């Protein structure tokens, strides 16, 4: 065969020292006590952790130099692959390792991080590690923080003991590095969670449905009714009766059981009506059970109840 056949060959990739220049420079850079380095955890034991510092030798952090949090557990809280920032406290432990302290680095860097959390209103998951007067103690970035009893939940917490070792979502509300003062609040995240759960329940409520409820409170503009499904709605004064009344208390009282119709669920709020019941049911003599003056108790309709009112 006279025709020549040529074969294209892929040129081999030639590795040179330039390809490793960054790594070489990093491994040969001078390290001094007080330097802050970041490494990757490559080993964990009860006594210490080992870090890959991209240096000619590894870094060691002893358990007592990892955290000030009394609830810290090295085998639970540190994992292979974690990135740890720590301060060099000795360049050689006698076995060629660099000895570092996460606690020391944390004292320098944590307050900046806490200010960032405060500015961004970052929601943090924190564990309650202690009970003190008027609140509880937790740790964020290794810094001791305080959550007042008034900021532990949606409502004021009387018994803080039951919160020990619980994990809560909280935001940072006060950071004063010079005073070593860190204050958090779990109230706002709890309120947001409650509002989200309530909105989901309200979304499932059908407009037009009729429910029994209990009068929770009475205001000049209407009454708040706790429904049988656990939700609350507003019975506006204009929805209490066909007739005009001067104040809801002329007809309703706290703790009274009423039947209401759901007329709206807009903006996460339930609107109620007694007046609209006439559209969905036959006239009833038991729309309301009004308690007459002491010594007189009789079931009566809303019409007969209002008949004697001066409007």
């Amino acid at each position: 065969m006279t025709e020549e056949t040529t074969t294209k060959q892929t040129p081999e990739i030639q590795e040179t020292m330039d390809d490793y220049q960054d790594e070489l420079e990093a491994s040969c850079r001078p390290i001094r006590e007080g330097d802050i380095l970041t490494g990757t955890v490559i080993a964990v034991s009860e006594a210490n952790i080992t870090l890959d510092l991209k240096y000619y030798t590894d870094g060691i952090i002893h358990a007592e130099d990892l955290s000030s949090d009394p609830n810290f557990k090295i085998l639970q809280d540190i994992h292979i692959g974690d990135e740890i920032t720590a301060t060099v406290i000795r360049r050689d432990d006698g076995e060629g390792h660099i000895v570092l302290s996460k606690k020391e680095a944390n004292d320098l860097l944590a307050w900046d991080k806490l200010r960032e959390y405060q500015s961004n209103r970052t929601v943090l998951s924190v564990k309650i590690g202690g009970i003190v007067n008027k609140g509880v103690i937790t740790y964020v970035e290794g810094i001791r923080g305080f959550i007042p009893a008034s900021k532990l939940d949606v409502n004021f917490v009387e018994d803080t003991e039951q919160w020990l070792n619980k994990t809560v979502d909280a935001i940072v509300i006060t950071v004063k590095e010079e005073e070593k003062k860190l204050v958090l609040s779990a109230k706002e995240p709890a309120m947001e969670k409650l509002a989200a759960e309530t909105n989901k329940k309200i979304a499932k409520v059908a407009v037009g449905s009729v429910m029994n409820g209990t009068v929770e409170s009475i205001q000049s503009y209407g009454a708040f009714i706790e429904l049988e499904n656990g939700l609350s709605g507003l019975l506006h004064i204009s929805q209490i009766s066909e007739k005009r009344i001067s104040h809801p208390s002329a007809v309703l009282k706290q703790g009274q059981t009423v039947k209401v119709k759901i007329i709206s669920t807009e903006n996460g709020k339930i609107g109620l009506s007694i007046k609209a019941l006439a559209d969905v049911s036959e006239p009833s003599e038991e729309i309301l059970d009004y308690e007459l003056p002491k010594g007189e108790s009789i079931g009566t309709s809303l019409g007969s109840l209002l008949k004697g009112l001066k409007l």
Side-chain angles (χ1 to χ4, degrees), residues 15 30 38 77 80 94 148 162 175 239 241 243 268 279:
E15 292 183 341
T38 298
D77 298 331
I80 291 176
Q162 62 180 324
V175 179
Q239 294 297 325
S241 169
K243 295 183 179 181
D279 301 335

Side-chain angles (χ1 to χ4, degrees), residues 65-284:
D65 292 319
L66 277 166
S67 177
S68 300
D69 186 347
N71 295 307
F72 173 81
K73 292 180 174 57
I74 187 169
L75 296 179
Q76 293 181 18
D77 298 331
I78 303 292
H79 307 91
I80 291 176
D82 288 351
E83 281 199 347
I84 301 289
T85 298
T87 301
V88 177
I89 57 177
R90 283 203 314 277
R91 291 188 296 173
D92 192 332
D93 64 350
E95 297 181 2
H97 300 120
I98 298 171
V99 183
L100 305 103
S101 170
K102 185 176 184 295
K103 284 165 61 174
E104 283 198 18
N106 200 69
D107 289 342
L108 295 172
L109 304 175
W111 292 99
D112 288 338
K113 194 69 175 177
L114 293 172
R115 280 187 284 269
E116 182 182 330
Y117 289 151
Q118 181 186 26
S119 176
N120 296 335
R121 291 183 64 82
T122 303
V123 177
L124 307 168
S125 180
V126 298
K127 185 176 180 180
I128 307 303
I131 308 298
V132 294
N133 185 33
K134 298 182 179 179
V136 300
I137 296 301
T138 187
Y139 284 80
V140 181
E141 299 294 331
I143 303 298
R144 186 178 188 266
F146 174 67
I147 304 179
S150 61
K151 296 288 188 179
L152 192 51
D153 203 357
V154 174
N155 299 312
F156 183 88
V157 174
E158 294 284 353
D159 181 14
T160 55
E161 291 287 345
Q162 62 180 324
W163 290 78
L164 185 62
N165 295 322
K166 284 189 175 181
T167 298
V168 299
D169 288 338
I171 59 172
V172 175
I173 58 175
T174 302
V175 179
K176 293 184 178 179
E177 181 178 0
E178 63 281 1
E179 299 176 20
K180 302 298 180 186
K181 183 178 181 180
L182 172 64
V183 182
L184 300 96
S185 172
K187 184 173 184 175
E188 290 80 356
M191 291 180 67
E192 291 176 6
K193 183 178 179 180
L194 179 62
E197 292 173 352
T198 300
N199 287 338
K200 285 183 181 179
K201 291 180 181 179
I202 291 176
K204 296 178 181 179
V205 173
V207 173
S209 58
V210 176
M211 293 186 183
N212 290 322
T214 303
V215 179
E216 285 184 303
S217 63
I218 297 176
Q219 309 296 331
S220 60
Y221 51 84
F224 287 96
I225 310 296
E226 182 180 0
L227 301 172
E228 58 191 57
N229 61 4
L231 297 174
S232 293
L234 174 62
L235 175 61
H236 193 268
I237 188 171
S238 64
Q239 294 297 325
I240 295 176
S241 169
E242 292 285 356
K243 295 183 179 181
R244 185 174 178 179
I245 58 176
S246 60
H247 195 279
S249 61
V251 176
L252 303 172
K253 65 175 184 177
Q254 191 170 349
Q256 181 180 347
T257 299
V258 294
K259 183 176 288 185
V260 292
K261 179 181 179 181
I262 296 172
I263 57 174
S264 68
T265 57
E266 296 178 359
N267 301 319
K269 298 178 181 178
I270 298 177
L272 305 172
S273 175
I274 290 176
K275 186 171 68 174
L277 285 173
D279 301 335
V280 294
S281 62
E282 293 296 323
S284 170

